[in-house]
PDB file of all heavy atoms in Angstrom:
ATOM      1  N   THR A  37      -6.769  24.522  -7.347  1.00 97.00           N
ATOM      2  CA  THR A  37      -8.190  24.247  -7.414  1.00 97.00           C
ATOM      3  C   THR A  37      -8.455  22.778  -7.193  1.00 97.00           C
ATOM      4  O   THR A  37      -7.516  21.933  -7.244  1.00 97.00           O
ATOM      5  CB  THR A  37      -8.726  24.576  -8.846  1.00 97.00           C
ATOM      6  OG1 THR A  37      -8.107  23.667  -9.762  1.00 97.00           O
ATOM      7  CG2 THR A  37      -8.462  26.004  -9.207  1.00 97.00           C
ATOM      8  N   ILE A  38      -9.672  22.398  -6.924  1.00 98.00           N
ATOM      9  CA  ILE A  38     -10.038  20.971  -6.709  1.00 98.00           C
ATOM     10  C   ILE A  38      -9.771  20.183  -8.022  1.00 98.00           C
ATOM     11  O   ILE A  38      -9.353  19.031  -7.925  1.00 98.00           O
ATOM     12  CB  ILE A  38     -11.532  20.832  -6.280  1.00 98.00           C
ATOM     13  CG1 ILE A  38     -11.863  19.405  -5.862  1.00 98.00           C
ATOM     14  CG2 ILE A  38     -12.487  21.277  -7.364  1.00 98.00           C
ATOM     15  CD1 ILE A  38     -11.303  19.016  -4.532  1.00 98.00           C
ATOM     16  N   GLU A  39      -9.916  20.834  -9.149  1.00 98.00           N
ATOM     17  CA  GLU A  39      -9.641  20.146 -10.415  1.00 98.00           C
ATOM     18  C   GLU A  39      -8.117  19.796 -10.535  1.00 98.00           C
ATOM     19  O   GLU A  39      -7.771  18.695 -11.003  1.00 98.00           O
ATOM     20  CB  GLU A  39     -10.101  20.943 -11.648  1.00 98.00           C
ATOM     21  CG  GLU A  39     -11.553  21.125 -11.810  1.00 98.00           C
ATOM     22  CD  GLU A  39     -12.163  22.223 -10.885  1.00 98.00           C
ATOM     23  OE1 GLU A  39     -11.406  23.059 -10.327  1.00 98.00           O
ATOM     24  OE2 GLU A  39     -13.422  22.238 -10.763  1.00 98.00           O
ATOM     25  N   GLN A  40      -7.290  20.713 -10.116  1.00 98.00           N
ATOM     26  CA  GLN A  40      -5.861  20.461 -10.145  1.00 98.00           C
ATOM     27  C   GLN A  40      -5.446  19.364  -9.177  1.00 98.00           C
ATOM     28  O   GLN A  40      -4.645  18.484  -9.502  1.00 98.00           O
ATOM     29  CB  GLN A  40      -5.054  21.761  -9.811  1.00 98.00           C
ATOM     30  CG  GLN A  40      -5.119  22.814 -10.888  1.00 98.00           C
ATOM     31  CD  GLN A  40      -4.517  24.116 -10.403  1.00 98.00           C
ATOM     32  OE1 GLN A  40      -4.837  24.623  -9.322  1.00 98.00           O
ATOM     33  NE2 GLN A  40      -3.626  24.680 -11.238  1.00 98.00           N
ATOM     34  N   LYS A  41      -6.052  19.368  -8.018  1.00 98.00           N
ATOM     35  CA  LYS A  41      -5.787  18.328  -7.014  1.00 98.00           C
ATOM     36  C   LYS A  41      -6.231  16.977  -7.494  1.00 98.00           C
ATOM     37  O   LYS A  41      -5.617  15.914  -7.314  1.00 98.00           O
ATOM     38  CB  LYS A  41      -6.373  18.687  -5.664  1.00 98.00           C
ATOM     39  CG  LYS A  41      -5.711  19.892  -5.003  1.00 98.00           C
ATOM     40  CD  LYS A  41      -6.288  20.097  -3.597  1.00 98.00           C
ATOM     41  CE  LYS A  41      -6.759  21.505  -3.502  1.00 98.00           C
ATOM     42  NZ  LYS A  41      -7.336  21.765  -2.183  1.00 98.00           N
ATOM     43  N   ARG A  42      -7.417  16.943  -8.116  1.00 98.00           N
ATOM     44  CA  ARG A  42      -8.013  15.699  -8.653  1.00 98.00           C
ATOM     45  C   ARG A  42      -7.073  15.103  -9.724  1.00 98.00           C
ATOM     46  O   ARG A  42      -6.767  13.894  -9.723  1.00 98.00           O
ATOM     47  CB  ARG A  42      -9.393  15.982  -9.255  1.00 98.00           C
ATOM     48  CG  ARG A  42     -10.153  14.759  -9.657  1.00 98.00           C
ATOM     49  CD  ARG A  42     -11.579  15.148 -10.095  1.00 98.00           C
ATOM     50  NE  ARG A  42     -12.387  15.452  -8.946  1.00 98.00           N
ATOM     51  CZ  ARG A  42     -12.990  16.654  -8.764  1.00 98.00           C
ATOM     52  NH1 ARG A  42     -12.925  17.580  -9.672  1.00 98.00           N
ATOM     53  NH2 ARG A  42     -13.762  16.846  -7.669  1.00 98.00           N
ATOM     54  N   GLU A  43      -6.555  15.972 -10.618  1.00 98.00           N
ATOM     55  CA  GLU A  43      -5.641  15.501 -11.657  1.00 98.00           C
ATOM     56  C   GLU A  43      -4.339  15.001 -11.041  1.00 98.00           C
ATOM     57  O   GLU A  43      -3.785  13.964 -11.469  1.00 98.00           O
ATOM     58  CB  GLU A  43      -5.342  16.602 -12.677  1.00 98.00           C
ATOM     59  CG  GLU A  43      -4.481  16.143 -13.791  1.00 98.00           C
ATOM     60  CD  GLU A  43      -4.237  17.207 -14.837  1.00 98.00           C
ATOM     61  OE1 GLU A  43      -4.832  18.295 -14.746  1.00 98.00           O
ATOM     62  OE2 GLU A  43      -3.482  16.917 -15.787  1.00 98.00           O
ATOM     63  N   LEU A  44      -3.840  15.725 -10.079  1.00 98.00           N
ATOM     64  CA  LEU A  44      -2.603  15.311  -9.396  1.00 98.00           C
ATOM     65  C   LEU A  44      -2.700  13.969  -8.741  1.00 98.00           C
ATOM     66  O   LEU A  44      -1.866  13.063  -8.940  1.00 98.00           O
ATOM     67  CB  LEU A  44      -2.202  16.386  -8.378  1.00 98.00           C
ATOM     68  CG  LEU A  44      -0.882  16.139  -7.602  1.00 98.00           C
ATOM     69  CD1 LEU A  44       0.325  16.159  -8.548  1.00 98.00           C
ATOM     70  CD2 LEU A  44      -0.728  17.187  -6.501  1.00 98.00           C
ATOM     71  N   VAL A  45      -3.795  13.695  -8.038  1.00 98.00           N
ATOM     72  CA  VAL A  45      -4.031  12.418  -7.437  1.00 98.00           C
ATOM     73  C   VAL A  45      -4.152  11.336  -8.449  1.00 98.00           C
ATOM     74  O   VAL A  45      -3.577  10.224  -8.310  1.00 98.00           O
ATOM     75  CB  VAL A  45      -5.286  12.468  -6.474  1.00 98.00           C
ATOM     76  CG1 VAL A  45      -5.699  11.124  -6.055  1.00 98.00           C
ATOM     77  CG2 VAL A  45      -5.028  13.379  -5.276  1.00 98.00           C
ATOM     78  N   GLU A  46      -4.907  11.618  -9.531  1.00 98.00           N
ATOM     79  CA  GLU A  46      -5.089  10.602 -10.608  1.00 98.00           C
ATOM     80  C   GLU A  46      -3.716  10.197 -11.223  1.00 98.00           C
ATOM     81  O   GLU A  46      -3.410   9.031 -11.345  1.00 98.00           O
ATOM     82  CB  GLU A  46      -6.016  11.118 -11.635  1.00 98.00           C
ATOM     83  CG  GLU A  46      -6.278  10.169 -12.764  1.00 98.00           C
ATOM     84  CD  GLU A  46      -7.203  10.736 -13.846  1.00 98.00           C
ATOM     85  OE1 GLU A  46      -7.829  11.754 -13.610  1.00 98.00           O
ATOM     86  OE2 GLU A  46      -7.220  10.126 -14.914  1.00 98.00           O
ATOM     87  N   VAL A  47      -2.929  11.226 -11.585  1.00 98.00           N
ATOM     88  CA  VAL A  47      -1.680  10.957 -12.346  1.00 98.00           C
ATOM     89  C   VAL A  47      -0.677  10.265 -11.401  1.00 98.00           C
ATOM     90  O   VAL A  47      -0.033   9.324 -11.817  1.00 98.00           O
ATOM     91  CB  VAL A  47      -1.128  12.232 -12.944  1.00 98.00           C
ATOM     92  CG1 VAL A  47       0.248  12.073 -13.477  1.00 98.00           C
ATOM     93  CG2 VAL A  47      -2.062  12.734 -14.041  1.00 98.00           C
ATOM     94  N   LEU A  48      -0.517  10.794 -10.168  1.00 98.00           N
ATOM     95  CA  LEU A  48       0.425  10.151  -9.278  1.00 98.00           C
ATOM     96  C   LEU A  48       0.026   8.709  -8.950  1.00 98.00           C
ATOM     97  O   LEU A  48       0.908   7.835  -8.921  1.00 98.00           O
ATOM     98  CB  LEU A  48       0.424  10.941  -7.935  1.00 98.00           C
ATOM     99  CG  LEU A  48       1.188  12.334  -7.983  1.00 98.00           C
ATOM    100  CD1 LEU A  48       1.035  13.030  -6.628  1.00 98.00           C
ATOM    101  CD2 LEU A  48       2.678  12.126  -8.312  1.00 98.00           C
ATOM    102  N   SER A  49      -1.223   8.457  -8.816  1.00 98.00           N
ATOM    103  CA  SER A  49      -1.707   7.090  -8.570  1.00 98.00           C
ATOM    104  C   SER A  49      -1.443   6.142  -9.721  1.00 98.00           C
ATOM    105  O   SER A  49      -0.920   5.056  -9.553  1.00 98.00           O
ATOM    106  CB  SER A  49      -3.208   7.063  -8.220  1.00 98.00           C
ATOM    107  OG  SER A  49      -3.425   7.823  -7.016  1.00 98.00           O
ATOM    108  N   LYS A  50      -1.800   6.609 -10.930  1.00 98.00           N
ATOM    109  CA  LYS A  50      -1.578   5.778 -12.085  1.00 98.00           C
ATOM    110  C   LYS A  50      -0.095   5.489 -12.360  1.00 98.00           C
ATOM    111  O   LYS A  50       0.266   4.334 -12.658  1.00 98.00           O
ATOM    112  CB  LYS A  50      -2.215   6.435 -13.337  1.00 98.00           C
ATOM    113  CG  LYS A  50      -3.712   6.347 -13.382  1.00 98.00           C
ATOM    114  CD  LYS A  50      -4.229   7.005 -14.658  1.00 98.00           C
ATOM    115  CE  LYS A  50      -5.738   6.920 -14.718  1.00 98.00           C
ATOM    116  NZ  LYS A  50      -6.284   7.583 -15.964  1.00 98.00           N
TER     117      LYS A  50
END
Side-chain angles (χ1 to χ4, degrees):
T37 66
I38 189 74
E39 292 81 14
Q40 289 172 312
K41 291 184 235 180
R42 189 174 285 121
E43 183 178 357
L44 182 63
V45 168
E46 179 183 346
V47 171
L48 287 173
S49 297
K50 284 182 180 178

